[in-house]
Amino acid sequence: MTDVQEEEHVFDSQTFWRDFRDTHRSTSAPSKGLFENHYLAKPEGFIDFSKETVGKCQRLVARVVAASVAEEQRLIPKLLDRLSDSLCRVLDMADFVRATHPDAGFQEASTEAWSMLYEFMNVLNTTPELKIKLENALNNPIVNAKWTEEETMVARILLKDFSKSAIEAPDGRRRAFVELSSRANQLGTKFVKEMRPETLTLKLSSRQLKGVDPLVLQNASRRHLTGVSIPTVGPVAFTALRSMQDEHARKDLYIAMRTSPKVQLQTLQDFLQTRAMLANLAGYSSYAEMNLTDKLAKTPVAVNSFLDALWRDNQSLVRQEMDEMLPLKKLYVGNTRLSDQIEAWDRDYYQARIANRLKSTSRRPDFMSAYFSLGSVMQGLSRLFTKLYGVRFVPAPIAPGEAWHPDVRRLDVIDENEGRIAVLYCDLFARSGKNPNPAHFTLRCSRLIDPSEIEEAASFHPTLDPSEA
């Protein structure tokens, strides 16, 4: 079987996936750790990984601060880039694990590791000696004349990052910036982790649920003598919005799905206030202004202008869709006050009715969906990337302990000239307890590693794998 055929079958055929997984897996082999990171074979390894990274970063900081002659100063952009990459290797990985891993032990350990490294990073961002060394090197022609374009760009980006961290402020304000930054991120994590509707289930009568496929309700609801309780989170709730005929029931469900607990709203308010204080401390009028200074949009005004223009350009299309749905609503509910306008909880229902009408009036059945299985889509993406960039996806076996769930598939990204250049972990199937929202996480950024870095890492850890340098 070719790589292309394997790629389709590992997603579309559970039998093939189990055979593929079991053929390459040894049940007696020890855990290689999450993402083949040997530290992460057990939860407490996250703390060891973090402490090791802090030690590595401290050595890099010492080299930057001690740089005095031109030859040493020329290395400053590379040293600071290594510093940033080392921190992100832990922060990005921990951020993903604490939000995704089903094991509470890994969640707690990754959260602790993330907090440790994030605070350490903010201390570095408010260390004047690092900014002064970088600024002096950037302004010294003898030093920067031999920099590559990438090194110059990195130096300028890092200098902007320093300017957003209240680095020019007195010691007390810099310490306050570190504390506020840590608090803002803790609140942000808390908000996302505890995000849920105030009402987790909504009790509806059998009459109110008319139109909903009974098979949809069978495994995801609780039956009572007078009706059924359906969840307000997940696919069942969205299916009900598209199919329930009772408008009052749709309204109740729509509102329940979007009503947060008061404690969650308080967390959001605290989060926004802390961000505002953080921005003011750094000399900005708002967090949006601070966050956009080095982005494409540059200013909040530009963002609002873009959104206003987008709204104006789409207004006629929105009105056209509403005009298509309104006569259909009048047909369903009659000429009552309920039929005067399309409400928010009507949109999905009447769009589904229009789609069903189009299917029923089509001269031939719609076979398009048959071509868009998950495996076909992944296969198509691989072919597209091969033609555009010369890279393809190849299914690869997952080592013991490498993934966080048996549903996870691994795809190696293979370049036609350089071989494997990246790894994709695909967790694309719904399951109980998994966050239903689509998401993408960068676990480790790609970066050119100098041979000197590998030699340096080997001097501290003779058995270290080069990929962990």
Side-chain angles (χ1 to χ4, degrees):
M1 184 175 291
T2 65
D3 291 342
V4 173
Q5 291 172 317
E6 281 190 346
E7 184 182 355
E8 181 176 5
H9 290 316
V10 294
F11 288 101
D12 287 350
S13 170
Q14 285 292 335
T15 301
F16 179 87
W17 164 243
R18 283 194 297 268
D19 291 342
F20 179 85
R21 181 187 62 196
D22 295 343
T23 300
H24 297 89
R25 184 174 61 180
S26 171
T27 55
S28 59
S31 172
K32 284 199 169 185
L34 281 171
F35 322 115
E36 294 190 297
N37 183 316
H38 72 276
Y39 284 105
L40 307 185
K42 51 187 179 180
E44 53 268 31
F46 252 114
I47 308 305
D48 296 333
F49 185 33
S50 300
K51 290 179 179 177
E52 173 64 30
T53 299
V54 168
K56 178 181 177 181
C57 291
Q58 288 172 334
R59 293 192 293 271
L60 291 169
V61 169
R63 289 183 63 183
V64 172
V65 173
S68 56
V69 299
E71 186 177 352
E72 295 171 338
Q73 292 171 343
R74 289 191 189 107
L75 295 175
I76 287 178
K78 283 189 175 181
L79 292 174
L80 290 177
D81 183 54
R82 286 179 59 188
L83 180 63
S84 175
D85 181 66
S86 297
L87 291 168
C88 289
R89 284 189 183 198
V90 181
L91 290 168
D92 291 345
M93 200 175 289
D95 191 36
F96 169 76
V97 172
R98 66 179 179 167
T100 306
H101 205 291
D103 185 274
F106 271 103
Q107 291 177 16
E108 293 172 7
S110 58
T111 298
E112 184 178 348
W114 188 91
S115 299
M116 180 195 306
L117 265 293
Y118 190 80
E119 184 171 351
F120 179 70
M121 181 186 70
N122 279 321
V123 170
L124 295 180
N125 285 341
T126 56
T127 301
E129 290 84 359
L130 292 176
K131 188 233 181 185
I132 292 169
K133 286 287 184 178
L134 177 61
E135 200 167 35
N136 290 342
L138 188 60
N139 295 328
N140 187 341
I142 298 175
V143 173
N144 62 46
K146 294 187 177 181
W147 284 354
T148 63
E149 181 182 351
E150 290 81 6
E151 286 173 315
T152 302
M153 185 182 300
V154 166
R156 288 174 177 162
I157 290 172
L158 292 173
L159 203 58
K160 286 183 179 179
D161 287 343
F162 279 124
S163 69
K164 294 193 296 183
S165 301
I167 200 164
E168 305 289 352
D171 287 349
R173 288 172 65 86
R174 291 203 305 271
R175 284 195 297 271
F177 183 91
V178 172
E179 292 172 2
L180 283 171
S181 186
S182 295
R183 174 166 168 73
N185 279 278
Q186 289 167 3
L187 288 168
T189 301
K190 180 182 179 184
F191 178 78
V192 172
K193 189 174 182 179
E194 298 178 359
M195 189 163 50
R196 63 175 182 80
E198 186 173 28
T199 303
L200 294 177
T201 59
L202 184 67
K203 188 176 180 180
L204 297 170
S205 67
S206 299
R207 179 186 57 79
Q208 289 175 307
L209 287 167
K210 185 178 179 181
V212 183
D213 186 344
L215 293 176
V216 172
L217 299 172
Q218 187 173 1
N219 297 322
S221 60
R222 290 182 300 166
R223 294 191 172 275
H224 305 279
L225 292 176
T226 57
V228 177
S229 289
I230 66 171
T232 56
V233 176
V236 172
F238 287 104
T239 299
L241 276 182
R242 289 194 299 269
S243 53
M244 273 197 304
Q245 297 177 11
D246 190 310
E247 179 172 349
H248 294 291
R250 290 201 308 273
K251 177 180 178 181
D252 290 344
L253 178 58
Y254 181 90
I255 293 174
M257 292 169 68
R258 289 160 175 80
T259 301
S260 297
K262 290 182 179 179
V263 66
Q264 181 76 338
L265 296 177
Q266 185 61 52
T267 298
L268 177 60
Q269 184 175 340
D270 293 343
F271 176 52
L272 296 176
Q273 287 177 341
T274 304
R275 274 189 162 184
M277 293 167 63
L278 189 67
N280 292 336
L281 200 59
Y284 294 91
S285 61
S286 68
Y287 183 82
E289 182 188 6
M290 183 178 82
N291 199 44
L292 289 169
T293 53
D294 55 352
K295 303 296 192 300
L296 181 64
K298 300 298 182 185
T299 66
V301 172
V303 172
N304 286 330
S305 297
F306 169 75
L307 293 175
D308 287 341
L310 193 64
W311 174 76
R312 286 194 298 271
D313 288 346
N314 285 280
Q315 197 172 15
S316 60
L317 295 174
V318 172
R319 176 49 56 192
Q320 181 180 337
E321 288 193 17
M322 300 284 275
D323 289 344
E324 289 176 2
M325 289 187 282
L326 195 57
L328 190 59
K329 183 175 182 179
K330 289 180 181 294
L331 182 65
Y332 272 72
V333 303
N335 284 314
T336 67
R337 64 178 185 83
L338 290 178
S339 65
D340 290 342
Q341 62 181 15
I342 298 295
E343 303 289 354
W345 44 87
D346 290 332
R347 187 197 63 181
D348 291 343
Y349 178 75
Y350 287 108
Q351 281 184 336
R353 303 287 77 71
I354 290 172
N356 288 337
R357 280 189 167 190
L358 290 175
K359 286 181 181 178
S360 64
T361 57
S362 176
R363 291 187 176 181
R364 54 181 187 168
D366 177 16
F367 294 113
M368 288 296 292
S369 59
Y371 292 94
F372 287 95
S373 68
L374 178 55
S376 297
V377 171
M378 299 302 290
Q379 185 185 73
L381 287 173
S382 182
R383 287 172 172 166
L384 178 63
F385 293 148
T386 299
K387 291 182 179 296
L388 291 176
Y389 308 116
V391 300
R392 70 185 193 279
F393 298 156
V394 177
I398 295 179
E402 181 182 357
W404 56 97
H405 193 275
D407 283 349
V408 177
R409 273 67 160 165
R410 169 176 167 162
L411 297 177
D412 286 351
V413 183
I414 307 297
D415 181 86
E416 58 189 12
N417 297 316
E418 299 181 25
R420 192 181 78 184
I421 58 172
V423 174
L424 295 176
Y425 292 101
C426 303
D427 187 4
L428 305 178
F429 299 98
R431 61 177 175 270
S432 177
K434 180 186 173 187
N435 191 316
N437 300 312
H440 162 263
F441 293 84
T442 299
L443 297 177
R444 185 164 68 186
C445 292
S446 59
R447 177 177 160 272
L448 180 64
I449 299 177
D450 287 339
S452 60
E453 295 180 44
I454 298 176
E455 294 173 7
E456 179 187 328
S459 67
F460 287 96
H461 302 281
T463 60
L464 186 71
D465 187 284
S467 67
E468 297 179 21

